[in-house]
Amino acid sequence: MAASTLISLTDAQLAYGHHPLLDHAELAIQAGERIGLIGRNGAGKSSLLKVLDGRVLPDDGEIMRLGGLKIATVEQEPELDDSLSVLDTLCGDINASEDWQRPARAQALIEQLGLDAAAPVAGLSGGTRKRVALARALADEPDLLLLDEPTNHLDFDGIAWLEALLLQARCSAVIITHDRRFLDVVATRIVELDRGKLLSFPGNFSAWQQRKAEWLEAERQQNARFDKVLAQEEVWIRKGIEARRTRNEGRVRRLEQLRRDRAQRRERSGNVSLALAEGRRSGKLVAELSHVNHGYGPRVLVRDLSTSIMRQDRIGLIGPNGVGKTTLLKIMLGLLAPDSGTVRLGTNLNIGYFDQMRSQLDENATLADTINPGSEWIEIGGQRKHVMSYLEDFLFPPARAQSPVSSLSGGERARLVLARLFARPTNVLVMDEPTNDLDIETLELLEELLQDYKGTVLLVSHDRSFLNNVVTQTLAAEGDGVWREYVGGYDEWQAQRPAPAAPALKAAKPATDRAEQSPPHPAPEAARGKPAKSGRISTWELRELEELPEAIARIEARQAELNERLADGSLYRDAPAEVAQIQEQLRQMEQEMEGLFARWELLEEKRGG
């Protein structure tokens, strides 16, 4: 194993039942690279992380790790000890590890993330728990960081922090995520788990999309040629008596081998088939809010909001965690009365609600009963469809129709909620974080469906690409209960919004799960629109600032070495493949340099503030 290779998988096999997750798979993880691991729900991505960190042994094949390799894993739903405080969680058992510098690192991470060191882990919101788990992993100072859906439950500020951190980190990373914008920012390589094989593509997600389209077309053409040969052989073998009497036995054996090859060829499973059972049209006006105010105790979540929602509007609600997005949705739908102001609902409203917590699912119910209790048939787009066939549209085989909901993975639960939602006639769709747990292909299909939907869409999401591709207007939390409307999606909001008063992470502190149901603590200064303490640089940030010139110098030295290598004319003759690799390395280094200079400028401003 090369010195820069942290882990290598060779001919790895892993299966649960008859379903192979790894089928003679190969993978090498190099020092300093950030791999975006993608694939369909159920393909085995999380299982691969368990193989990499040693929690699961492959059924066959070889796995080699660099001696002394330190791996930290952050799971999709992190397991934290609810009896500990945030600081104790990050510090761990110092006596056992004899890592006496860990408390200082933990405190620095707590400051950077805006966490409350003394807060008990019990009762923290999903977003805050994810931040604590990420901070705990970083406090380990790992050589390899394994992240399973790290952006789930994080708001825009948390995602921006994680992007910056990964760009500056010295460790390698393997990241499972559906967030396409996140992959474009941080990934240096995309690895797709597809039918048990690991397919590697240099570059970020956008580069992968282009190269994967070319690869799939080549595969389609190859399969088409194969099928044509097979068909020709089948016709030949079925000729008349004379042909059968004089047939060439070698050709028969070839046909038999072709049939075996065809049987072994693992096809891509079909796409999710999405179709909405649209109800009759709503009135032109869906909802009208006039001077609405709402809050809990001293905290104002909605201040003097007046807005109208019209038929076919697609509105995105965005803002930090705990700011009141779900509360505002309930007010808009007439499910929650505001403290003051009026809400007028339109006529003929058939509302479908996608709950981010999937609370509408009965754990003991079967999949078939979840879709349509008491009936085997559903009406979709004016057509009658059997529930088994409908479940297959969402990639649930008929054999699983009678399985309980409790047996489903997170991605399968999300698909089931979509299936249930789309089976009912609606003209208003309310979607609260629908992108969590969905694979990228299903996300893109959902985007197309919502773009063509004839009703009204109210969407809460932290997926920036999804917002850009779906919404026509944005309602953004501006702090202190103020909500402002913008035309367009996330990028348009970013271009039009007022300049923030402080760095992103200090914009708002994470809230607890009960923040919107019970009187919370007063909002932090930045969230109330007051000047943030941008001039106070922490000791951790000061140390980071002092180390940035050295980090930049190291990259510049490496750039010089690579450019000198490219200047060697013999390289293009003797190793043309290496030319492309070096050019890709230089491109990635340039991106890293941009991130480091941006961070340097930000920290200098804080120090001089």
Side-chain angles (χ1 to χ4, degrees), residues 403-565:
S403 299
V405 169
S406 59
S407 68
L408 300 182
S409 68
E412 289 171 330
R413 285 168 181 264
R415 288 208 308 269
L416 185 63
V417 173
L418 287 175
R420 174 182 165 129
L421 175 65
F422 294 169
R424 288 155 173 72
T426 65
N427 50 38
V428 178
L429 277 179
V430 183
M431 313 199 82
D432 195 349
E433 295 290 1
T435 65
N436 286 353
D437 304 319
L438 292 181
D439 59 46
I440 291 172
E441 288 183 82
T442 306
L443 273 181
E444 292 175 343
L445 288 166
L446 180 58
E447 286 174 354
E448 293 178 14
L449 180 138
L450 293 178
Q451 288 163 0
D452 296 335
Y453 182 52
K454 302 303 182 185
T456 304
V457 177
L458 300 177
L459 171 66
V460 173
S461 179
H462 292 123
D463 187 317
R464 295 157 292 182
S465 296
F466 194 78
L467 286 165
N468 281 339
N469 295 337
V470 171
V471 306
T472 57
Q473 60 217 83
T474 297
L475 193 57
E478 304 276 310
D480 197 25
V482 175
W483 294 79
R484 187 169 288 123
E485 293 182 84
Y486 298 87
V487 174
Y490 173 84
D491 286 344
E492 288 79 9
W493 167 66
Q494 285 284 76
Q496 300 171 53
R497 66 185 292 207
L505 272 174
K506 300 300 182 182
K509 288 194 176 183
T512 65
D513 284 331
R514 294 179 290 274
E516 292 183 18
Q517 288 108 26
S518 60
H521 298 294
E525 288 185 2
R528 293 197 298 266
K530 295 183 180 179
K533 300 175 182 178
S534 58
R536 296 183 183 177
I537 187 168
S538 69
T539 55
W540 185 90
E541 289 172 322
L542 189 59
R543 191 179 311 118
E544 179 189 0
L545 178 58
E546 292 169 351
E547 293 174 352
L548 278 173
E550 182 183 346
I552 291 171
R554 283 197 301 269
I555 295 177
E556 287 176 336
R558 181 61 179 150
Q559 285 176 322
E561 291 175 7
L562 292 176
N563 281 317
E564 186 176 347
R565 180 83 174 113

Side-chain angles (χ1 to χ4, degrees), residues 105-161:
R105 295 198 303 273
Q107 189 60 51
L109 286 163
I110 285 171
E111 288 182 24
Q112 190 182 16
L113 280 167
L115 298 169
D116 182 354
V121 168
L124 294 180
S125 69
T128 308
R129 292 179 72 91
K130 183 60 72 75
R131 290 186 188 222
V132 170
L134 286 166
R136 180 178 63 179
L138 293 167
D140 287 342
E141 292 192 322
D143 304 305
L144 176 61
L145 187 60
L146 306 179
L147 304 178
D148 194 348
E149 296 288 2
T151 64
N152 276 10
H153 308 301
L154 290 184
D155 56 24
F156 294 133
D157 294 339
I159 293 171
W161 165 80

Side-chain angles (χ1 to χ4, degrees), residues 330 353-363 405 413 417 420:
K330 292 178 179 177
Y353 196 93
F354 186 100
D355 175 12
Q356 65 166 313
M357 304 310 294
R358 321 288 192 251
S359 60
Q360 64 229 101
L361 295 178
D362 180 351
E363 293 292 315
V405 169
R413 285 168 181 264
V417 173
R420 174 182 165 129

Side-chain angles (χ1 to χ4, degrees), residues 289-309:
L289 282 66
S290 299
H291 303 290
V292 166
N293 292 275
H294 195 75
Y296 296 103
R299 189 176 185 198
V300 179
L301 297 178
V302 183
R303 186 186 298 278
D304 195 29
L305 174 61
S306 296
T307 187
S308 296
I309 302 170

Side-chain angles (χ1 to χ4, degrees), residues 4 32 62 215 242 265 280 379 519 539 576:
S4 61
E62 185 178 35
W215 183 85
E242 182 179 354
R265 193 171 83 205
R280 60 174 179 166
E379 296 284 338
T539 55

